[in-house]
Amino acid sequence: MREQSPVYYDEQHRLWNLFRYEDVVSTLADPATFSSHIMPPASAQDSEESFLSSWLKGDITKMDPPQHRHFRGLVSQAFTPRAIEQMAPRIHEITNTLLDGVAAKGEMEFVSDLAAPLPIIVIAELLGVPPEDRDRFKIWSNTLIDSSSVQPGDKATLNKVIPIFKEMFAYLQDFCQARREHPRNDLISHLTQVEFEGRMLNNDEILAFVTTLLVAGNITTTILLGNAIVCLNEHPDAAEAIKADPSLIPSMVEEVLRYRPPFTATMRLTTKEVTIQEVTIPERQMVITWLISANYDEQQFPDPEHFDIRRHPNRHQAFGHGIHFCIGAPLARLEARIALDILLKRFPSLQIQPGARQEAHASPFINGVKTLPV
Ligand code: HEM
């Protein structure tokens, strides 16, 4: 597709697909032409689903400038590499505690034992959720992830998830209010104190951001960790090289992000007619930028099918590009580096169980497995 149909119109789904690295990057760098403000159809907003679509209005990933610039400026302070680096000792501790549980059990299902709980606990602590509420938080987080691919009109699933969301929103509303009155050293307290467009963020806006973090930050990191295990299993030479020299872990993590990116694509909406590779896309069309295809573009990555843990430079698109570049990238990288380092030291002969069932996520936009017995 990159060579013959780099701009491909899928008539059935009415979607324009972009496959080349240069087109993905230039699209994501141009929010004036390619908007992120993609909302559910008006009909969905009138129904019971309005409950879900209401938080989408405060979802940073759906914002365009200037609203996006202001909002991002406020929340990004909590995600600077320096702020995130301070979490390293806790990430070590959480990983070791989770692996103590595995050692005591004598067996490991990689996703449920380490890859899923680690990012959920880290985000819960970042937000300031107390340990006694962690289990409820985990249920909410998983429900959000499961429902992120619900189709409008899927009443059965909506009826199941909406009571859980109502419980979560009520909890977070009270939590925001409590932190607004008595701030502590956590992200929710921080968000209650900062100003946005000359005013304070209200509880609904904070709630929308927190919900976005739960969706955007949990499953992706879980999948990255699982994908790293899959890559190392497929490439025993790379696994041996890392065990011999753990300083290769950061560049290995980058190569996993390139080779098996957790999100395969992002969506944009054209605000005006635009021409790419001599193909004209009309105004108000949905465009898919295939991050996974950009990551395999021969023009950018020599020998892209080769899993090369020393690849340099490695300007992969797993975290996107431009104003919406993943705010959680420093956190995801830190978690992956620490967790994989400890894991390989404590369980150096770890391997995926031969013949074990690895159930893939159903969504074409999520690239990873739900279970990984090792
Ligand atoms: C945005 C991927 C981890 C929070 C994005 C985008 C991508 C991405 C591709 C851009 C979406 C777009 O342009 O439409 C990933 C991957 C991760 C990861 C692959 C892990 C390996 C995290 C974590 C957090 C997070 C740990 C937070 C704790 C966000 C947020 C945005 C975002 C809030 C929206 C930023 C904006 O719109 O300005 N992520 N992400 N992500 N990510 Fe991540």
Side-chain angles (χ1 to χ4, degrees):
M1 297 305 274
R2 275 189 304 276
E3 207 176 303
Q4 284 162 17
S5 303
V7 183
Y8 171 75
Y9 183 58
D10 168 359
E11 281 185 32
Q12 192 195 345
H13 300 102
R14 297 200 210 145
L15 290 170
W16 295 83
N17 294 265
L18 305 184
F19 295 104
R20 284 193 187 161
Y21 187 93
E22 58 173 305
D23 297 333
V24 167
V25 168
S26 56
T27 298
L28 298 180
D30 181 5
T33 311
F34 300 96
S35 165
S36 291
H37 194 66
I38 304 165
M39 303 306 273
S43 60
Q45 295 181 35
D46 298 337
S47 64
E48 176 69 331
E49 291 146 46
S50 64
F51 182 73
L52 291 182
S53 56
S54 65
W55 68 260
L56 285 175
K57 294 196 179 91
D59 175 358
I60 183 173
T61 63
K62 304 274 187 298
M63 290 179 190
D64 284 332
Q67 189 195 15
H68 178 268
R69 194 177 56 247
H70 291 298
F71 200 86
R72 175 117 182 180
L74 289 175
V75 297
S76 60
Q77 297 160 33
F79 287 93
T80 59
R82 197 199 287 177
I84 294 303
E85 198 53 48
Q86 289 172 2
M87 301 179 72
R90 251 322 265 158
I91 298 174
H92 270 100
E93 244 170 51
I94 298 166
T95 306
N96 272 318
T97 307
L98 291 169
L99 291 180
D100 289 346
V102 169
K105 218 169 39 154
E107 59 179 11
M108 183 175 198
E109 195 287 285
F110 183 76
V111 177
S112 56
D113 286 333
L114 179 68
L118 174 66
I120 291 182
I121 297 173
V122 170
I123 293 195
E125 292 197 357
L126 186 78
L127 294 172
V129 174
E132 61 272 22
D133 294 335
R134 199 76 52 70
D135 284 343
R136 292 160 80 194
F137 189 78
K138 192 170 150 192
I139 294 171
W140 298 332
S141 196
N142 289 338
T143 308
L144 270 173
I145 291 163
D146 288 347
S147 66
S148 55
S149 52
V150 176
Q151 298 300 316
D154 178 356
K155 293 278 177 225
T157 312
L158 283 166
N159 289 341
K160 214 166 68 191
V161 300
I162 282 176
I164 302 176
F165 285 147
K166 287 193 170 155
E167 187 197 327
M168 177 184 86
F169 287 157
Y171 173 92
L172 287 174
Q173 278 280 3
D174 290 349
F175 194 82
C176 282
Q177 197 47 40
R179 290 296 194 265
R180 197 179 284 286
E181 286 159 18
H182 303 286
R184 296 193 195 165
N185 185 23
D186 57 50
L187 180 63
I188 292 193
S189 300
H190 169 79
L191 294 173
T192 60
Q193 307 304 308
V194 289
E195 273 189 22
F196 175 52
E197 290 176 338
R199 64 179 175 84
M200 311 290 275
L201 288 167
N202 63 37
N203 288 357
D204 284 343
E205 287 165 323
I206 296 175
L207 217 128
F209 181 65
V210 168
T211 313
T212 308
L213 283 188
L214 297 184
V215 179
N218 280 336
I219 190 165
T220 44
T221 311
T222 299
I223 289 179
L224 167 60
L225 290 168
N227 287 355
I229 298 304
V230 172
C231 287
L232 292 179
N233 209 70
E234 281 173 350
H235 302 92
D237 49 331
E240 287 312 313
I242 282 158
K243 281 179 223 159
D245 180 5
S247 72
L248 288 170
I249 288 179
S251 65
M252 181 270 284
V253 169
E254 297 310 303
E255 183 65 347
V256 174
L257 284 161
R258 184 193 71 83
Y259 198 79
R260 289 182 176 265
F263 271 155
T264 56
T266 62
M267 298 266 218
R268 295 295 188 264
L269 183 70
T270 54
T271 57
K272 53 186 173 225
E273 188 180 282
V274 56
T275 300
I276 307 174
Q277 306 290 353
E278 296 173 16
V279 177
T280 299
I281 305 178
E283 184 185 344
R284 298 206 60 75
Q285 298 289 300
M286 294 291 290
V287 174
I288 303 192
T289 56
W290 285 101
L291 306 174
I292 190 165
S293 173
N295 281 2
Y296 279 79
D297 192 327
E298 303 74 2
Q299 304 300 319
Q300 179 68 23
F301 302 100
D303 199 2
E305 300 289 336
H306 176 49
F307 179 72
D308 178 3
I309 57 169
R310 294 180 181 82
R311 189 178 286 278
H312 184 79
N314 189 349
R315 297 193 189 94
H316 62 74
Q317 290 299 308
F319 291 122
H321 179 79
I323 62 167
H324 291 280
F325 179 83
C326 178
I327 210 170
L331 179 58
R333 285 178 162 133
L334 188 69
E335 286 180 57
R337 289 171 188 174
I338 293 175
L340 293 168
D341 186 30
I342 297 177
L343 181 76
L344 294 176
K345 282 190 180 125
R346 288 187 62 170
F347 301 100
S349 53
L350 180 121
Q351 291 234 316
I352 298 176
Q353 275 179 27
R357 195 173 125 75
Q358 297 173 28
E359 194 192 341
H361 281 274
S363 163
F365 299 114
I366 298 180
N367 180 29
V369 289
K370 287 184 179 174
T371 53
L372 201 55
V374 290

